[in-house]
């Protein structure tokens, strides 16, 4: 029986209108290869001696901020002083920083493909939530985590059940240092996980028995712990959120890869594309968009029916014209024959007249 690990991280946009939890499903036999790949990505910034002695952690937001501010030396210097782990980049030129950034993403993209990662997640549109449920109901952060985790765990259990596997979940700790009480985020998250396993709390379709048999443990690690899977999950969550308001033409290669690898419910993509349900579930369901699509579909069906009617009318007209054309051709042939007959008769008449003379 195969074993998997689901590494998860969360991300929010600057406006705090979108909330997302997502990550990667990795076969346990590939975890060592994942570690090697993440270590290769680190070597783009630090030398091996620094990595072995300090175990630096790659953080997507910090790396993106450094790349975006590489031409603003004052801001960059201040930022690197606040994030000394990345101080090695202070001596790099703007071009070198961009190259390092691109190389890290190239390694991450290749890793997703090489070790067969499956991506999974849940997006909550907070503004849409308010539109559906009313402005007075403002979802608290803990509710967002709870709902998103319920959806992800259900789809993760579905994946494990379909592949006849078992798995664990690994999440980056949300606690402040040394904060472990009943009110701490980690305690609440673990408590909700236990409720899911025990009584299927918040699960719609997958049975409690399947969840209990397929998902074993829920682990949480501190932000500074060097867990390769969490570091790649950090890149996945950040970029999956960034892709939401982009067109396909604006996707980076890494975005294309993680969206391509979304869980599809065990179906062949050529047969069914269910990645919006099993891969990246978006909540709340956009009933207005669904209504608009249904209305558009009705309009298109009517237009298609009208086109069919017009096509049939044109076919009838064409058939009538063809029939008329064939009649004219036949009449023309008959007239030609008549003209030939009359010419022959004229020749005979002339011959008779000439003989009488």
């Amino acid at each position: 029986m195969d074993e998997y690990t689901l590494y998860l991280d969360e991300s929010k946009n600057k406006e705090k209108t979108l909330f997302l939890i997502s990550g990667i499903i990795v076969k346990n036999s590939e975890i060592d290869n994942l570690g090697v790949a993440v270590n290769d990505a680190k070597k783009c910034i630090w030398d091996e001696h620094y990595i072995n002695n300090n175990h630096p952690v790659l953080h997507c937001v910090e790396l993106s901020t450094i790349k975006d501010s590489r031409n603003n030396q004052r801001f960059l210097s201040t930022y690197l002083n606040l994030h000394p782990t990345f101080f090695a980049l202070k001596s790099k030129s703007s071009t070198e920083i961009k190259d390092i950034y691109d190389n890290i993403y190239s390694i991450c993209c290749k890793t997703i493909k090489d070790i067969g990662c499956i991506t999974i997640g849940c997006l909550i549109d907070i503004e849409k939530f308010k539109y559906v449920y009313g402005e007075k109901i403002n979802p608290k952060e803990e509710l967002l985590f709870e709902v998103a985790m319920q959806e992800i765990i259900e789809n993760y259990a579905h994946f494990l059940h379909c592949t006849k596997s078992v798995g664990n979940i690994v999440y980056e700790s949300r606690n402040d240092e040394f904060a472990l009480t009943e009110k701490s985020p980690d305690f609440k998250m673990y408590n909700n996980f236990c409720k899911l396993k025990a009584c299927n709390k918040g699960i719609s379709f997958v049975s409690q028995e399947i969840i209990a048999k397929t998902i074993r443990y829920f682990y949480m690690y501190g932000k500074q712990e060097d867990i390769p899977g969490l570091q790649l999950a950090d890149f996945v969550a950040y970029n999956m959120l960034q892709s939401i308001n982009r067109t396909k033409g604006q996707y980076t290669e890494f975005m294309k890869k993680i969206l391509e690898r979304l869980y599809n419910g065990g179906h062949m993509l050529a047969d069914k594309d269910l990645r919006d349900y099993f891969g990246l579930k978006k909540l709340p369901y956009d009933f207005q968009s669904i209504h608009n699509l249904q209305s558009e579909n009705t309009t298109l069906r009517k237009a298609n029916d009208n086109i069919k009617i017009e096509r049939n009318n044109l076919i009838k007209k064409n058939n009538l014209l063809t029939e008329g054309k064939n009649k004219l051709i036949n009449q023309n042939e008959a007239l030609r024959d008549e003209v030939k007959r009359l010419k022959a008769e004229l020749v005979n008449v002339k011959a008779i007249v000439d003989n009488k003379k």
Side-chain angles (χ1 to χ4, degrees), residues 2-5 25 155-168 210 214-216 263:
D2 288 329
E3 294 186 15
Y4 288 85
T5 298
I25 302 172
N155 285 339
Y156 181 42
H158 183 276
F159 167 81
L160 295 172
H161 180 66
C162 288
T163 55
K164 298 179 181 178
S165 309
V166 294
N168 303 310
I210 289 176
T214 56
I215 302 178
R216 291 182 170 177
Y263 179 47

Side-chain angles (χ1 to χ4, degrees), residues 47-299:
D47 59 46
E48 196 161 353
H49 177 76
Y50 182 89
I51 293 171
N52 292 335
N53 285 279
N54 295 277
H55 303 285
V57 176
L58 281 173
H59 288 293
C60 186
V61 173
E62 281 88 339
L63 187 63
S64 296
T65 302
I66 292 168
K67 188 267 295 184
D68 292 340
S69 61
R70 65 189 186 279
N71 293 316
N72 186 340
Q73 285 300 317
R74 178 178 291 182
F75 176 86
L76 182 61
S77 179
T78 302
Y79 190 81
L80 291 174
N81 286 333
L82 294 172
H83 299 82
T85 303
F86 290 90
F87 201 77
L89 295 175
K90 189 170 185 179
S91 61
K92 304 296 182 182
S93 67
S94 173
T95 302
E96 288 174 323
I97 290 174
K98 179 63 166 59
D99 288 342
I100 289 170
Y101 176 89
D102 289 341
N103 289 337
I104 290 173
Y105 266 98
S106 178
I107 292 171
C108 290
C109 194
K110 186 175 184 299
T111 303
I112 293 285
K113 177 184 177 182
D114 288 350
I115 67 175
C117 291
I118 302 295
T119 54
I120 196 169
C122 179
L123 173 77
I124 299 178
D125 188 326
I126 298 170
E127 289 301 307
K128 198 173 291 179
F129 186 99
K130 292 178 181 177
Y131 172 78
V132 173
Y133 293 100
E135 289 288 339
K136 293 182 179 179
I137 300 178
N138 190 20
K140 294 181 180 179
E141 188 170 86
E142 284 306 316
L143 177 62
L144 300 179
F145 274 96
E146 186 175 336
V147 171
M149 286 299 295
Q150 288 168 0
E151 299 292 340
I152 291 171
I153 288 173
E154 180 170 10
N155 285 339
Y156 181 42
H158 183 276
F159 167 81
L160 295 172
H161 180 66
C162 288
T163 55
K164 298 179 181 178
S165 309
V166 294
N168 303 310
I169 300 174
V170 176
Y171 205 106
E172 186 176 82
S173 174
R174 297 164 52 220
N175 281 358
D176 294 330
E177 193 173 5
F178 307 120
L180 186 57
T181 67
E182 291 184 2
K183 294 183 180 180
S184 68
D186 285 359
F187 185 91
K188 290 178 180 178
M189 183 174 282
Y190 187 76
N191 188 43
N192 285 326
F193 170 72
C194 293
K195 290 177 181 177
L196 285 172
K197 285 205 69 172
C199 59
N200 243 31
K201 177 181 178 291
I203 300 299
S204 302
F205 302 109
V206 175
S207 70
Q208 184 271 333
E209 181 183 7
I210 289 176
I211 290 178
K213 285 184 176 180
T214 56
I215 302 178
R216 291 182 170 177
Y217 303 111
F218 189 104
Y219 300 102
M220 282 171 276
Y221 293 94
K223 293 182 181 296
Q224 298 308 315
E225 292 195 55
D226 187 10
I227 310 297
L230 286 178
Q231 291 168 72
L232 187 54
D234 179 41
F235 278 75
V236 170
Y238 178 84
N239 283 274
M240 198 170 284
L241 185 67
Q242 294 298 312
S243 73
I244 297 300
N245 292 320
R246 295 193 186 191
T247 63
K248 289 184 178 179
Q250 295 173 322
Y251 288 166
T252 65
E253 288 304 312
F254 186 69
M255 289 177 186
K256 290 177 185 176
K257 181 57 63 179
I258 61 177
L259 294 174
E260 172 192 312
R261 297 294 299 174
L262 283 168
Y263 179 47
N264 195 40
H267 302 285
M268 294 294 292
L269 195 56
D271 298 330
K272 296 178 183 178
D273 188 354
L274 299 176
R275 290 174 294 180
D276 281 345
Y277 184 83
F278 287 107
L280 179 60
K281 187 168 280 191
K282 299 173 184 177
L283 299 176
Y285 296 114
D286 195 339
F287 298 106
Q288 188 62 46
S289 293
I290 292 172
H291 175 72
N292 291 340
L293 287 171
Q294 288 174 335
S295 298
E296 184 180 354
N297 185 52
T298 301
T299 302

